[in-house]
Amino acid sequence: MNNLFDLNSVIRPHILTLAPYSSARDEYTGHSGIFLDANENPYGSVTVEDYNRYPDPYQAEIKAKLSPIKKIDTQRIFLGNGSDEPIDLLIRATCTPEKDHVIILPPTYGMYEVSASIHNVKIDKVSLTADYQIDVDAVLKAITPDTKIIWVCTPNNPTGNVMQDEAIVTLLNNFNGLVVVDEAYVDFKDSVSWISRLDEFPNLVVLQTFSKAWGLAGIRAGMCFASADLIKILNKIKSPYNISLPAQRVLLEGLDGVQKKDEMVKEILKERASLRTMLENLSLVNKVFPSDANFLLVHFDDAKAVMDYLINEAVIVRDRSKVHLCEGCLRITVGTEYENEVLVESLKKYQQNSVIAQTL
Ligand SMILES: Cc1ncc(COP(=O)(O)O)c(C=O)c1O
C-alpha cells in the first residue's frame, strides 16, 4: 500500500476546481418523455436506423454489463474512444505543459510519447533491460518531483512479454504519481489482470481495450479502471458524448459475446503456437521472441528487405527494425491459419530467391 499517494497533489489544480460541461442528458437521465432539451431532430435520421438522440454520456448500461465481467464497481470504470482516449486524458489531468514529466519505458507503445508530446509534456525515457524487463533502479532514479505518470505496458507492445509483478509493485510503492498499467493484450496471457490489485494501490490505473481480443477495433472503445475519484476526474474532462450511439449499441451486444471472445482467443493462441513453429523452421528467421500477446516479434538479418518483399506480396507486417532494442525485427500479428500460411509461403519464396541470388 502506498500511503503517501494523494490524488489531489497529482491532478492539476485547475482541473480539480473545473466546473465541467453539463449536457442535456446529464440533467435528465430518464428514458421516456418528450425530449425537447438537446436540440435534436425529432423526426429521426437520414439513415435506416435512428441515431437522432445523443447517447448516454456515462454509458451506464454498458458499465453495468462490464462490471461483473471485470469484477469491478461501475464507479471505477471509464470508457473511452479507444484506450488512446484515457491515455490522452490522464496526461491532460495530471501534467502541466513544459513543466511536468512522464516516464516511458522503450521499446513500448508509441502513443504514450506522442500524447505527452502533443501536450508539450517532458518525457523521460528509461530503456527496458536487454531481456525486455523494467530497469527498476533506473526508473526510480529518473523520478523527479514533477513526474506525474509512469507508463507500463504488459504484455508489452512491441516485445510481447509480460513485465515482472515485483517490478511494478516496487514502482507503485515508491512513486507518488500514477503508475498506468496498459493491459491491451491481457486476454492473450495466463496471469490475472492488475484490476484485481486496484484496492491495494491507490495510484494504480489499468487500461484495457475492446480492439484486440474482443475484435472491436473499428468501433473505437477502450477501458480505464482506477479509483472512483480518478474516474470522476476523467469524466469531468472528457468530451461530453465520447462514445457514439452506434458504438454503445455494438458494445452492449458485444458484452454478451464473452464466450465468442474466449473462443477467438483460443484460436489465436493455437495459431500463435503454429506460426511460431513455422517461422522457427525458416533459415532466414534468426529468432522468434516469446510472446504473451497476439503478435510475434521476429528477428531477421535484413528486416527491411523482408518487409519490402512482403509488401510486394501484399502481406503487411509492422517494421520495428529501427526501434531501440528491436533492431532487425518485424512485428507480425497472428492471423488466421490461411493468412499465416500465406505469410510463411511468401517468406519461403523470399528465402529461395536469396539463395538463388547468392549462387549467381
Ligand atoms: C499497448 C497498447 N495500448 C493501447 C492501444 C490502443 O488501443 P485502442 O484501439 O483501444 O486505442 C494499443 C494499440 O495497438 C496498444 O498496443
Side-chain angles (χ1 to χ4, degrees):
M1 173 62 95
N2 183 337
N3 292 318
L4 295 172
F5 178 74
D6 171 18
L7 184 64
N8 289 341
S9 69
V10 174
I11 303 298
R12 296 160 76 191
H14 75 286
I15 299 286
L16 285 173
T17 55
L18 175 86
Y21 174 71
S22 166
S23 73
R25 292 296 124 85
D26 280 335
E27 284 168 15
Y28 177 76
T29 52
H31 287 292
S32 58
I34 294 175
F35 288 97
L36 303 176
D37 58 347
N39 301 343
E40 296 151 334
N41 182 336
Y43 292 105
S45 308
V46 292
T47 44
V48 176
E49 272 212 60
D50 278 340
Y51 301 104
N52 54 321
R53 299 294 174 188
Y54 283 102
D56 174 359
Y58 303 111
Q59 313 97 20
E61 269 186 275
I62 297 166
K63 288 178 186 169
K65 258 186 161 173
L66 188 59
S67 160
I69 296 173
K70 296 295 175 186
K71 300 190 180 58
I72 186 164
D73 194 83
T74 54
Q75 306 299 310
R76 305 180 73 175
I77 305 175
F78 173 87
L79 295 176
N81 180 7
S83 43
D84 285 342
E85 184 182 7
I87 290 172
D88 176 76
L89 293 179
L90 286 163
I91 293 173
R92 288 190 204 210
T94 59
C95 295
T96 299
E98 294 184 46
K99 171 183 171 287
D100 286 332
H101 294 229
V102 297
I103 294 179
I104 63 169
L105 314 176
T108 194
Y109 181 50
M111 280 308 287
Y112 314 137
E113 179 168 359
V114 172
S115 279
S117 300
I118 289 169
H119 297 294
N120 210 1
V121 163
K122 295 184 193 301
I123 300 158
D124 297 315
K125 297 184 186 184
V126 180
S127 169
L128 293 178
T129 58
D131 58 351
Y132 298 149
Q133 285 299 323
I134 300 172
D135 185 342
V136 179
D137 289 341
V139 177
L140 294 178
K141 269 195 206 122
I143 294 170
T144 75
D146 294 325
T147 306
K148 296 299 176 69
I149 300 178
I150 301 173
W151 298 98
V152 176
C153 188
T154 180
N156 186 40
N157 175 7
T159 57
N161 63 297
V162 172
M163 298 299 155
Q164 283 159 356
D165 285 2
E166 312 82 74
I168 298 175
V169 167
T170 306
L171 299 184
L172 285 161
N173 279 330
N174 292 283
F175 175 52
N176 296 327
L178 302 177
V179 176
V180 183
V181 175
D182 185 345
E183 295 188 327
Y185 300 96
V186 69
D187 302 86
F188 304 105
K189 74 176 177 98
D190 286 335
S191 44
V192 289
S193 162
W194 280 88
I195 292 176
S196 63
R197 305 193 68 174
L198 280 168
D199 281 338
E200 248 177 281
F201 303 107
N203 54 339
L204 171 63
V205 179
V206 179
L207 301 180
Q208 292 188 4
T209 180
F210 287 101
S211 299
K212 313 293 173 186
W214 293 84
L216 295 172
I219 66 159
R220 308 303 302 125
M223 300 161 256
C224 176
F225 307 96
S227 66
D229 286 340
L230 180 56
I231 297 300
K232 269 190 211 146
I233 301 275
L234 297 181
N235 279 330
K236 211 157 103 154
I237 63 173
K238 77 184 181 73
S239 65
Y241 304 107
N242 61 326
I243 309 281
S244 74
L245 186 55
Q248 292 204 28
R249 286 184 186 162
V250 172
L251 279 177
L252 274 179
E253 180 197 332
L255 287 170
D256 291 331
V258 175
Q259 200 185 329
K260 178 158 186 203
K261 179 208 61 164
D262 291 344
E263 282 161 14
M264 289 195 290
V265 167
K266 223 167 129 190
E267 202 57 32
I268 290 168
L269 295 187
K270 192 177 110 219
E271 284 307 319
R272 185 177 75 191
S274 66
L275 177 60
R276 165 182 297 282
T277 308
M278 289 192 288
L279 290 169
E280 284 174 344
N281 284 334
L282 296 175
S283 60
L284 88 161
V285 168
N286 292 329
K287 179 166 183 178
V288 183
F289 286 82
S291 173
D292 280 303
N294 65 340
F295 56 81
L296 294 172
L297 188 70
V298 186
H299 186 266
F300 299 88
D301 277 340
D302 190 349
K304 176 80 176 64
V306 175
M307 173 87 193
D308 290 346
Y309 185 86
L310 289 177
I311 287 177
N312 244 327
E313 297 275 300
V315 177
I316 322 302
V317 299
R318 192 92 152 107
D319 185 358
R320 301 284 82 185
S321 63
K322 301 274 183 304
V323 171
H324 168 63
L325 292 185
C326 297
E327 289 82 3
C329 290
L330 301 180
R331 194 196 68 195
I332 302 177
T333 304
V334 177
T336 62
E337 186 178 357
Y338 168 75
E339 290 171 334
N340 298 335
E341 273 166 13
V342 172
L343 164 82
V344 172
E345 282 313 307
S346 299
L347 290 173
K348 280 184 184 160
K349 270 197 272 169
Y350 172 89
Q351 200 168 265
Q352 277 156 9
N353 291 351
S354 316
V355 172
I356 293 166
Q358 275 165 19
T359 53
L360 286 180

